[in-house]
Amino acid sequence: MSRHLIDDVVVGWDELGTDLLDDVPPALVTALTGGEHWPSRTLDHLITPDGSPPVRMSVTDTTADEQDMQWGYVLHKEGVEVISLLHEDIGPIVSWSTDPRTAFNDHPAAWSSLDSPPAMRASRGRQPQRAPAAAPAKAGTPRPAARR
């Protein structure tokens, strides 16, 4: 996953596709995408203000606010750390073994570094709803609200 998401991309991602699901059971692909397939797309044809070649963004505590970043994700061996940059500096880790159909609370304040990831359990007899592409998390010093 880290090779696909980080190492094999020059600048960044425009959209992550179903190619991330290439080795999962077909029934799971159908549950998550309705059976549709589409490729991931990288950020291509970017034009910088000064005409220089585009480069990857470096996100730090300082630049996160400047870049209007709302979520951060850190890949760990045990799972993905999801950080709500509007509320926290670190976040809870969603295990790689988590069922991808698990529904998560998508409110940034729900992703506290002190708590488990805010999964919302489906009622009995129902399949979990489709999970968002990434779940948020929070920790540390509160950040100002994002500017749009």
PDB file of all heavy atoms in Angstrom, residues 135-148:
ATOM      1  N   ALA A 135     -10.709   8.139   7.168  1.00  0.00           N
ATOM      2  CA  ALA A 135     -11.366   8.570   8.381  1.00  0.00           C
ATOM      3  C   ALA A 135     -10.514   9.604   9.089  1.00  0.00           C
ATOM      4  O   ALA A 135      -9.308   9.537   9.055  1.00  0.00           O
ATOM      5  CB  ALA A 135     -11.581   7.356   9.271  1.00  0.00           C
ATOM      6  N   PRO A 136     -11.150  10.560   9.756  1.00  0.00           N
ATOM      7  CA  PRO A 136     -10.442  11.633  10.424  1.00  0.00           C
ATOM      8  C   PRO A 136      -9.974  11.308  11.842  1.00  0.00           C
ATOM      9  O   PRO A 136     -10.516  10.434  12.465  1.00  0.00           O
ATOM     10  CB  PRO A 136     -11.473  12.755  10.463  1.00  0.00           C
ATOM     11  CG  PRO A 136     -12.741  12.166  10.044  1.00  0.00           C
ATOM     12  CD  PRO A 136     -12.520  10.784   9.573  1.00  0.00           C
ATOM     13  N   ALA A 137      -9.011  12.045  12.366  1.00  0.00           N
ATOM     14  CA  ALA A 137      -8.551  11.877  13.734  1.00  0.00           C
ATOM     15  C   ALA A 137      -8.073  13.189  14.315  1.00  0.00           C
ATOM     16  O   ALA A 137      -7.795  14.109  13.591  1.00  0.00           O
ATOM     17  CB  ALA A 137      -7.417  10.866  13.749  1.00  0.00           C
ATOM     18  N   LYS A 138      -7.939  13.270  15.657  1.00  0.00           N
ATOM     19  CA  LYS A 138      -7.493  14.529  16.239  1.00  0.00           C
ATOM     20  C   LYS A 138      -6.567  14.327  17.414  1.00  0.00           C
ATOM     21  O   LYS A 138      -6.554  13.273  18.016  1.00  0.00           O
ATOM     22  CB  LYS A 138      -8.689  15.372  16.655  1.00  0.00           C
ATOM     23  CG  LYS A 138      -9.508  14.751  17.769  1.00  0.00           C
ATOM     24  CD  LYS A 138     -10.628  15.667  18.148  1.00  0.00           C
ATOM     25  CE  LYS A 138     -11.400  15.077  19.315  1.00  0.00           C
ATOM     26  NZ  LYS A 138     -12.389  15.955  19.821  1.00  0.00           N
ATOM     27  N   ALA A 139      -5.801  15.356  17.782  1.00  0.00           N
ATOM     28  CA  ALA A 139      -4.921  15.288  18.942  1.00  0.00           C
ATOM     29  C   ALA A 139      -4.243  16.620  19.181  1.00  0.00           C
ATOM     30  O   ALA A 139      -4.115  17.416  18.278  1.00  0.00           O
ATOM     31  CB  ALA A 139      -3.856  14.216  18.747  1.00  0.00           C
ATOM     32  N   GLY A 140      -3.783  16.864  20.395  1.00  0.00           N
ATOM     33  CA  GLY A 140      -2.936  18.011  20.688  1.00  0.00           C
ATOM     34  C   GLY A 140      -3.612  19.350  20.638  1.00  0.00           C
ATOM     35  O   GLY A 140      -4.751  19.511  21.020  1.00  0.00           O
ATOM     36  N   THR A 141      -2.891  20.331  20.151  1.00  0.00           N
ATOM     37  CA  THR A 141      -3.330  21.707  20.127  1.00  0.00           C
ATOM     38  C   THR A 141      -4.426  21.929  19.097  1.00  0.00           C
ATOM     39  O   THR A 141      -4.283  21.533  17.961  1.00  0.00           O
ATOM     40  CB  THR A 141      -2.133  22.623  19.769  1.00  0.00           C
ATOM     41  OG1 THR A 141      -1.056  22.294  20.629  1.00  0.00           O
ATOM     42  CG2 THR A 141      -2.505  24.074  19.905  1.00  0.00           C
ATOM     43  N   PRO A 142      -5.534  22.548  19.497  1.00  0.00           N
ATOM     44  CA  PRO A 142      -6.580  22.819  18.521  1.00  0.00           C
ATOM     45  C   PRO A 142      -6.079  23.733  17.407  1.00  0.00           C
ATOM     46  O   PRO A 142      -5.236  24.588  17.635  1.00  0.00           O
ATOM     47  CB  PRO A 142      -7.672  23.520  19.339  1.00  0.00           C
ATOM     48  CG  PRO A 142      -7.351  23.216  20.772  1.00  0.00           C
ATOM     49  CD  PRO A 142      -5.875  22.992  20.840  1.00  0.00           C
ATOM     50  N   ARG A 143      -6.591  23.538  16.222  1.00  0.00           N
ATOM     51  CA  ARG A 143      -6.222  24.355  15.084  1.00  0.00           C
ATOM     52  C   ARG A 143      -7.401  25.249  14.719  1.00  0.00           C
ATOM     53  O   ARG A 143      -8.543  24.904  14.979  1.00  0.00           O
ATOM     54  CB  ARG A 143      -5.881  23.471  13.876  1.00  0.00           C
ATOM     55  CG  ARG A 143      -4.673  22.622  14.126  1.00  0.00           C
ATOM     56  CD  ARG A 143      -4.356  21.880  12.838  1.00  0.00           C
ATOM     57  NE  ARG A 143      -3.242  21.006  13.018  1.00  0.00           N
ATOM     58  CZ  ARG A 143      -1.989  21.334  12.806  1.00  0.00           C
ATOM     59  NH1 ARG A 143      -1.684  22.530  12.400  1.00  0.00           N
ATOM     60  NH2 ARG A 143      -1.022  20.468  12.991  1.00  0.00           N
ATOM     61  N   PRO A 144      -7.127  26.378  14.083  1.00  0.00           N
ATOM     62  CA  PRO A 144      -8.233  27.247  13.665  1.00  0.00           C
ATOM     63  C   PRO A 144      -9.043  26.553  12.576  1.00  0.00           C
ATOM     64  O   PRO A 144      -8.560  25.672  11.896  1.00  0.00           O
ATOM     65  CB  PRO A 144      -7.531  28.493  13.127  1.00  0.00           C
ATOM     66  CG  PRO A 144      -6.131  28.038  12.822  1.00  0.00           C
ATOM     67  CD  PRO A 144      -5.831  26.901  13.743  1.00  0.00           C
ATOM     68  N   ALA A 145     -10.268  26.988  12.441  1.00  0.00           N
ATOM     69  CA  ALA A 145     -11.145  26.426  11.404  1.00  0.00           C
ATOM     70  C   ALA A 145     -10.549  26.701  10.031  1.00  0.00           C
ATOM     71  O   ALA A 145      -9.887  27.702   9.809  1.00  0.00           O
ATOM     72  CB  ALA A 145     -12.532  27.052  11.508  1.00  0.00           C
ATOM     73  N   ALA A 146     -10.814  25.773   9.124  1.00  0.00           N
ATOM     74  CA  ALA A 146     -10.296  25.918   7.762  1.00  0.00           C
ATOM     75  C   ALA A 146     -10.948  27.108   7.067  1.00  0.00           C
ATOM     76  O   ALA A 146     -12.101  27.406   7.295  1.00  0.00           O
ATOM     77  CB  ALA A 146     -10.568  24.644   6.966  1.00  0.00           C
ATOM     78  N   ARG A 147     -10.184  27.741   6.212  1.00  0.00           N
ATOM     79  CA  ARG A 147     -10.692  28.875   5.450  1.00  0.00           C
ATOM     80  C   ARG A 147     -11.028  28.392   4.044  1.00  0.00           C
ATOM     81  O   ARG A 147     -10.250  27.702   3.412  1.00  0.00           O
ATOM     82  CB  ARG A 147      -9.630  29.971   5.385  1.00  0.00           C
ATOM     83  CG  ARG A 147      -9.295  30.515   6.743  1.00  0.00           C
ATOM     84  CD  ARG A 147      -8.010  31.309   6.735  1.00  0.00           C
ATOM     85  NE  ARG A 147      -6.824  30.556   6.351  1.00  0.00           N
ATOM     86  CZ  ARG A 147      -6.160  29.732   7.157  1.00  0.00           C
ATOM     87  NH1 ARG A 147      -6.574  29.543   8.384  1.00  0.00           N
ATOM     88  NH2 ARG A 147      -5.098  29.105   6.736  1.00  0.00           N
ATOM     89  N   ARG A 148     -12.172  28.721   3.538  1.00  0.00           N
ATOM     90  CA  ARG A 148     -12.566  28.332   2.180  1.00  0.00           C
ATOM     91  C   ARG A 148     -12.852  29.561   1.366  1.00  0.00           C
ATOM     92  O   ARG A 148     -13.342  30.516   1.773  1.00  0.00           O
ATOM     93  CB  ARG A 148     -13.819  27.462   2.228  1.00  0.00           C
ATOM     94  CG  ARG A 148     -13.529  26.147   2.833  1.00  0.00           C
ATOM     95  CD  ARG A 148     -13.586  25.110   1.749  1.00  0.00           C
ATOM     96  NE  ARG A 148     -13.082  23.884   2.290  1.00  0.00           N
ATOM     97  CZ  ARG A 148     -12.272  23.098   1.660  1.00  0.00           C
ATOM     98  NH1 ARG A 148     -11.841  23.379   0.480  1.00  0.00           N
ATOM     99  NH2 ARG A 148     -11.852  22.004   2.184  1.00  0.00           N
TER     100      ARG A 148
END
